[in-house]
């Protein structure tokens, strides 16, 4: 892993994201890809649970499938079909390969460089951006879905398991957009309500010219501030774009909203990053 400098940390605070190339080795990336294929080979997803997750309000509200399957996914490995993209959650807790990566000494050292005192892992996903069918992810802020008080306590770590280019749908960011707060939240609806979540507040519109592409090579990591606006495009190329990503929250002096769709459980409280 390349040494993370104070200058890079300062850049992250200014831009709301940071690219760290060669953070993980080729062998580590290949191990994650091999492991996910083993998991998929054993999966059994009931038809009524073919649930989608979308950053679009309209698409998310009409594509939740089984509300219970969606709301209780935080402490289980479950599958979500995001417009042609397999999306599997809770890997950080239940799979030994992904748990080892999530709590690796490299990630812990990065957390300390960022002055995180009590970071916990709140969510993890493996995203299959398949060639030709990998759906777009519309402009969004992670804090819309993972809300804390105060804001600014959630970080995403996005690991490229293959080269992510403009052709196969790398991430795009609006630099500095993490300084303006958020304008909407996705919250749990009252029990028994379908759909099981709803959006409050207004969805912002952005110009394409505001975004810059952020390609990254296999093994690279993108650090993502919870309020920075980012997106990815449809993967219409011939190449897949596999990613393992997870979110950290600084738990010290932080309140996790009870209205968030994702909630810790007695069986799986948010595990501390530092071991």
């Amino acid at each position: 892993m390349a040494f993370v400098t104070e200058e890079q940390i300062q850049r992250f605070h200014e831009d709301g994201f940071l690219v760290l190339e060669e953070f993980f080795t080729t062998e580590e990336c290949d191990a994650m890809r091999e492991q996910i294929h083993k998991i998929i080979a054993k999966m059994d997803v009931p038809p009524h649970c073919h649930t989608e997750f979308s950053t679009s309000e309209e698409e998310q509200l009409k594509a939740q499938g089984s509300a219970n399957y969606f709301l209780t996914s935080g402490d289980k490995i479950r599958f979500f079909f995001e417009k042609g993209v397999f999306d599997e959650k809770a890997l950080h807790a239940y799979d030994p390969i992904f748990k080892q990566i999530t709590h690796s000494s490299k990630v812990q050292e990065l957390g300390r460089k960022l002055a995180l005192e009590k970071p916990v892992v709140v969510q993890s996903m493996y995203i299959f951006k398949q060639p030709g069918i990998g759906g777009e992810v519309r402009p969004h802020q992670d804090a819309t879905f993972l809300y804390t008080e105060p804001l600014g306590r959630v970080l995403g770590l996005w690991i490229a398991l293959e080269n992510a280019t403009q052709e196969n749908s790398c991430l795009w960011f609006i630099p500095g957009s993490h300084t303006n707060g958020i304008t909407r939240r996705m919250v749990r609806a009252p029990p028994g309500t379908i759909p099981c979540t709803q959006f409050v507040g207004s969805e912002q519109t952005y110009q394409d010219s505001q975004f810059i592409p952020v390609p990254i090579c296999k093994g690279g990591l993108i650090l993502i501030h919870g309020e920075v606006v980012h997106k990815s495009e449809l993967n219409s190329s011939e190449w897949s774009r596999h990613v393992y990503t997870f979110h950290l929250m600084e738990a010290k002096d932080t309140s996790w909203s009870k209205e968030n769709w994702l909630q810790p459980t007695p069986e799986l409280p948010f595990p501390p990053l530092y071991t």
Side-chain angles (χ1 to χ4, degrees), residues 71-97:
L71 289 179
T72 61
S73 63
D75 63 346
K76 303 169 183 69
I77 295 180
R78 284 192 166 164
F79 300 86
F80 296 82
F81 299 78
E82 185 260 316
K83 292 181 116 182
V85 182
F86 248 141
D87 181 352
E88 183 170 6
K89 302 179 184 293
L91 291 165
H92 68 278
Y94 290 111
D95 182 84
I97 298 295

Side-chain angles (χ1 to χ4, degrees), residues 169-190:
S169 191
C170 67
L171 294 181
W172 295 66
F173 289 88
I174 300 180
S177 56
H178 61 301
T179 61
N180 299 320
I182 63 173
T183 60
R184 67 170 186 149
R185 291 175 55 198
M186 189 176 83
V187 300
R188 288 188 171 217

Side-chain angles (χ1 to χ4, degrees), residues 197-210:
T197 61
Q198 59 192 19
F199 283 85
V200 295
S202 58
E203 184 172 8
Q204 293 286 90
T205 58
Y206 305 97
Q207 302 298 318
D208 287 343
S209 59
Q210 295 177 268

